[in-house]
Amino acid sequence: MTTVAAVDVGGTAIKYGLLRGDVLEPEPEIPTPLRGPDTAEEVVDVVAQALADLRRRSDFEAVGLVVPGYVDAERGVAIRSENLGWRDVPFRDQLAERVGLPVAFGHDVRAGALAEARLGAARGLRDVLVVPIGTGIAAGLVIDGRLHERPGPFGEIGHLDAGHERRCVCGRTGCLEAIASAAAISRAYVEQTGHPATAAEVAARVGEGDPAASLIWQEAVEALAATLAPCITLLAPGAVVIGGGLARAGDLLLRPLRRALERHTPVEVELRPAALGTHAGCTGAGLLALDLLRAAEPA
Amino acid sequence: MTTVAAVDVGGTAIKYGLLRGDVLEPEPEIPTPLRGPDTAEEVVDVVAQALADLRRRSDFEAVGLVVPGYVDAERGVAIRSENLGWRDVPFRDQLAERVGLPVAFGHDVRAGALAEARLGAARGLRDVLVVPIGTGIAAGLVIDGRLHERPGPFGEIGHLDAGHERRCVCGRTGCLEAIASAAAISRAYVEQTGHPATAAEVAARVGEGDPAASLIWQEAVEALAATLAPCITLLAPGAVVIGGGLARAGDLLLRPLRRALERHTPVEVELRPAALGTHAGCTGAGLLALDLLRAAEPA
């Protein structure tokens, strides 16, 4: 069985571990170096060190590394991350030089989508759209079993115009994630009622008939359906997998979203909650490393 | 050079001809048999007859046949066409039996998209979204040079909810094509002004500062942008090709649509007018036949 190392660099923590066959063995998380002029260099240092320690305990043949922001997976370069403050960092080659192994490089959300399609909620389906909804909203697409991977800023469906007046963290007004992310739902609830509540708590209050919670939830669901409907109609994926914090609301989210989608598009689609949780990105990083090894094998 | 026959069955006319290499040699169109219980049978008769005549003049190795409605290209079956009134017709096998040659079967709009991607406006691009806007609005998608083809009702973006109150021919309210198709634009103009005008004439009046024309045009463009933006954001295609009657408005359509898309999505995309006109579907039918022959060659 092929074993690879997998690394998922997040805004606050670096997740890593070994992927043996289909199973991720996660190591304790490492805090992501604070944002500064040398963040990217420090990330490479910390990751190289962790992998060297790991290698003393267990052998592996390749490394998969995924990061947030805009990435050019083909060239192995992180083009930009607003959260981590880096630009044009050739992570793949830098890490490969440090660990002396082949390194596959990719995008955290898209790697997570690949993992859900191959090993998680959409295992065995040909085409899958994966939509993590947490602080932000993004999307990853697997078509014909292959990850749709292009250079530059794409998949960022959270910044599509959803036709409302609320301000987004990106500085624009009307973005989908300013009305439908877990963060936006929580913020709207405290603004309208004076009572702080997480998105999960707002979801629970919808079930209890809380009118403010219901309106906020309905607006979020409607905005999500309007954004997903064109993609579903164009692609007819086997399933849409909803992940991130908001997916924990389960049927409180999926049931109204299903109904809204029926109104929005003539194409039927199955909605499923994500199965791999916060390890999806790291598992996907491992899958990218496995794919890299397979592509290098003689045919 | 491989020569194939190509047939595009439309609601009023059957287009057909030979595709020699990259060049379509169209024959005079044949009227589509009137809708009735035997329409599908009559279509097969008429097409088989036309191909037999054509074959007396020129040899060809395979046939590509495309039809409107819902099709299952893989099984070679037309699942349903509201306009032509048929259901579950195994066109591919029926025609293959009549002509004694391999027959490739597909969907008219998607075949047209393939033709624009390989030989037309988007020649050489990896991913292309093709959107014909005429009486209705549909979409075809080419990803990595391959046509995205799935069984059943998909690609029908004209029946996505665009959030307005107008009635669509499908019986629902708010469909994209009830506000943004060439037919809808023409209808809205005569309803609001009492003066009949084609969509092209409405476009011209926008340039002359006609306020009714400008408002109708703006609503159409906005609805198109809102529908296309999620698809563009998810896929980052190299180009979106606009075809059909409305594309004849040229920059009167493409310029405001470009501006609206810049507001709607962070992903940049090139908008191009279709290059193959009404022959796109027929040319695409020929390409499907060529692909079928190539797939049958020993590797």
Side-chain angles (χ1 to χ4, degrees), chain A residues 9-45:
Chain A
V9 178
T12 55
I14 297 172
K15 295 188 179 75
Y16 76 109
L18 292 177
L19 186 70
R20 291 189 203 269
D22 286 2
V23 181
L24 183 74
E25 299 173 2
E27 295 288 317
E29 296 181 3
I30 308 167
T32 305
L34 286 178
R35 180 184 167 148
D38 305 322
T39 305
E41 252 172 72
E42 289 169 33
V43 163
V44 173
D45 268 349

Side-chain angles (χ1 to χ4, degrees), chain B residues 79-157:
Chain B
I79 297 171
R80 198 169 71 191
S81 163
E82 299 303 344
N83 287 336
L84 291 161
W86 59 51
R87 270 171 197 271
D88 297 316
V89 183
F91 274 113
R92 183 184 60 199
D93 293 349
Q94 288 182 353
L95 189 63
E97 199 177 304
R98 293 287 294 272
V99 300
L101 286 174
V103 173
F105 181 72
H107 182 258
D108 56 355
V109 168
R110 294 195 282 279
L114 183 65
E116 290 290 352
R118 287 225 196 125
L119 304 175
R123 196 171 188 143
L125 296 182
R126 187 177 182 185
D127 312 307
V128 185
L129 178 59
V130 180
V131 184
I133 308 175
T135 312
I137 301 176
L141 177 65
V142 172
I143 298 182
D144 253 332
R146 280 183 299 268
L147 189 58
H148 187 69
E149 186 58 78
R150 297 292 179 267
F154 80 107
E156 302 283 342
I157 63 168

Side-chain angles (χ1 to χ4, degrees), chain A:
Chain A
M1 190 163 43
T2 313
T3 301
V4 296
V7 185
D8 176 8
V9 178
T12 55
I14 297 172
K15 295 188 179 75
Y16 76 109
L18 292 177
L19 186 70
R20 291 189 203 269
D22 286 2
V23 181
L24 183 74
E25 299 173 2
E27 295 288 317
E29 296 181 3
I30 308 167
T32 305
L34 286 178
R35 180 184 167 148
D38 305 322
T39 305
E41 252 172 72
E42 289 169 33
V43 163
V44 173
D45 268 349
V46 164
V47 169
Q49 188 56 53
L51 292 176
D53 291 348
L54 189 59
R55 213 165 170 189
R56 275 190 282 275
R57 286 180 282 138
S58 174
D59 200 28
F60 49 86
E61 296 176 41
V63 179
L65 171 71
V66 301
V67 304
Y70 298 161
V71 311
D72 185 335
E74 218 159 281
R75 293 194 302 126
V77 173
I79 297 171
R80 197 169 72 191
S81 163
E82 298 303 344
N83 288 337
L84 291 161
W86 58 51
R87 268 168 197 273
D88 297 315
V89 185
F91 274 113
R92 182 183 63 200
D93 293 349
Q94 287 181 356
L95 189 64
E97 198 176 307
R98 294 286 292 275
V99 299
L101 286 174
V103 174
F105 180 72
H107 182 258
D108 55 356
V109 169
R110 292 195 284 277
L114 183 66
E116 290 290 354
R118 287 225 197 126
L119 304 175
R123 198 170 186 144
L125 294 183
R126 185 176 182 186
D127 312 308
V128 186
L129 178 59
V130 180
V131 183
I133 308 175
T135 314
I137 300 176
L141 177 66
V142 172
I143 298 182
D144 254 330
R146 281 183 298 268
L147 188 59
H148 186 71
E149 187 57 81
R150 298 292 179 267
F154 80 106
E156 302 282 344
I157 63 167
H159 299 288
L160 280 162
D161 187 70
H164 60 81
E165 299 301 318
R166 293 184 216 162
R167 193 90 179 174
C168 181
V169 287
C170 76
R172 306 199 325 172
T173 296
C175 291
L176 175 65
E177 69 178 50
I179 195 167
S181 67
I185 288 169
S186 171
R187 195 167 54 238
Y189 192 79
V190 71
E191 278 173 16
Q192 287 183 32
T193 65
H195 302 296
T198 64
E201 287 162 354
V202 176
R205 284 172 203 179
V206 174
E208 295 158 11
D210 177 329
S214 300
L215 186 63
I216 289 164
W217 200 254
Q218 204 181 326
E219 282 178 346
V221 164
E222 184 60 24
L224 281 171
T227 300
L228 295 179
C231 303
I232 291 166
T233 308
L234 186 66
L235 294 161
V240 174
V241 174
I242 306 288
L246 208 63
R248 278 182 232 127
D251 274 347
L252 281 172
L253 175 65
L254 297 187
R255 216 178 300 126
L257 186 54
R258 229 171 254 133
R259 277 199 305 270
L261 283 171
E262 280 166 19
R263 276 201 322 281
H264 274 274
T265 163
V267 174
E268 279 173 49
V269 75
E270 207 181 319
L271 288 185
R272 300 184 185 179
L276 301 176
T278 56
H279 289 302
C282 197
T283 305
L287 292 176
L288 294 177
L290 283 177
D291 286 355
L292 183 67
L293 289 174
R294 264 177 218 142
E297 277 171 14

